[in-house]
Amino acid sequence: LKHLLKPAPAGGNLIAPLERDGLRLASSGFVQAPDGLAAALRGPLAARVATQVLAATDWGRLDYLLLDFPPGIGDVPISLARDFSIHANVLVTTPSKLAVADVKRGAPLLETFKVPTIATVTNMAYFKCSNCDQKHRLFGPDSLETTLPFGDDQLTLELPFSLAVRDTNEMLRSQDEKNDPESEAAYNSLAKHLVSRLLLNAVKTKNIHLDAYLNSTSDAIILRSIDSDGAHQFQIPLSDLRTSSQKQSATPTRVGVIAKRALSLDWSDG
């Protein structure tokens, strides 16, 4: 089968993801049949292809890796949840009864793999009339909050029908918050909730204390400490770390953390 993904420059039988606005993307949907059409993949084969794409992509350093599962309880989510360490689940649905039924089956499935559901998003929940500024719910007034049991720390969000979001997706460009501030606020709320919950889960399960990386644009080391109160970021200029005998042009070639408590640096001048 042909595919739209190309070999990674680093080699090693890895494939390079597509990249746009700093986001990297790889998908089993990029796999093509010889005639250029989308490949028809049955359940077990689709699961195997999805696993191969995820494991064989040269992702590089990532802040977060998001997996877009198909709805329901098919082979793909079962295989990926079994073979990879997934830290959290976000349910995305429309208000229709059929879509909600899929969500109600999918959430307990992932919980059997110890993947907690931390947010639920209802897409196309309503549209707002430009003349009367009222919300009109095409699928009825009921929301997911009345159909699924939610924990106190789980976020529920509604996204409206949005021409601005549709247009930016169709034109392959980033969303401009000026075009749709309501959707932008919902996306930002979701992102902040996911980051805070993932950090909190990391503290509880892995006891992470310290992370460090080089910020070449600001000529500094970025330290991130994580505790039960959340995440804290600090910036240390390289000028404060160089010894008196080092040249100002010396830069770290490696930044590491020792025992989650100390910083280790290798310098370009040895």
Side-chain angles (χ1 to χ4, degrees), residues 20-200:
R20 179 83 179 196
D21 296 329
L23 300 177
R24 297 166 189 161
L25 174 67
S27 172
S28 57
F30 294 156
V31 176
Q32 293 181 327
D35 56 5
L37 299 177
L41 303 176
R42 295 183 180 272
L45 180 57
R48 186 160 65 248
V49 170
T51 299
Q52 290 175 344
V53 169
L54 178 59
T57 298
D58 186 12
W59 294 109
R61 184 184 179 112
L62 296 175
D63 294 317
Y64 302 96
L65 178 62
L66 305 181
L67 307 179
D68 184 12
F69 286 171
I73 53 176
D75 292 289
V76 173
I78 291 176
S79 296
L80 295 181
R82 179 195 62 203
D83 296 338
F84 296 92
S85 177
I86 300 176
H87 298 123
N89 175 39
V90 177
L91 301 175
V92 181
T93 183
T94 63
S96 70
K97 293 182 178 180
L98 181 59
V100 171
D102 269 343
V103 166
K104 293 176 69 173
R105 290 195 299 267
L109 168 69
L110 291 177
E111 289 176 0
T112 63
F113 293 96
K114 298 183 179 180
V115 180
T117 297
I118 62 175
T120 302
V121 179
T122 306
N123 199 16
M124 297 185 292
Y126 62 88
F127 79 93
K128 185 175 288 187
C129 176
S130 58
N131 294 325
C132 63
D133 203 36
Q134 291 185 351
K135 294 181 179 179
H136 300 272
R137 299 183 179 274
L138 301 183
F139 294 96
D142 293 337
S143 68
L144 278 178
E145 296 181 23
T146 62
T147 59
L148 289 175
F150 292 104
D152 295 336
D153 57 350
Q154 186 176 122
L155 178 70
T156 59
L157 276 177
E158 290 186 329
L159 292 175
F161 284 89
S162 172
L163 293 179
V165 173
R166 184 208 64 180
D167 291 342
T168 52
N169 289 340
E170 293 291 334
M171 300 178 68
L172 300 179
R173 68 187 184 200
S174 299
Q175 174 71 15
D176 187 348
E177 61 180 2
K178 296 179 181 179
N179 294 335
D180 190 350
E182 190 169 356
S183 294
E184 187 74 14
Y187 290 134
N188 287 336
S189 177
L190 175 62
K192 292 178 181 178
H193 178 76
L194 296 184
V195 170
S196 63
R197 280 298 309 274
L198 289 172
L199 289 175
L200 182 59

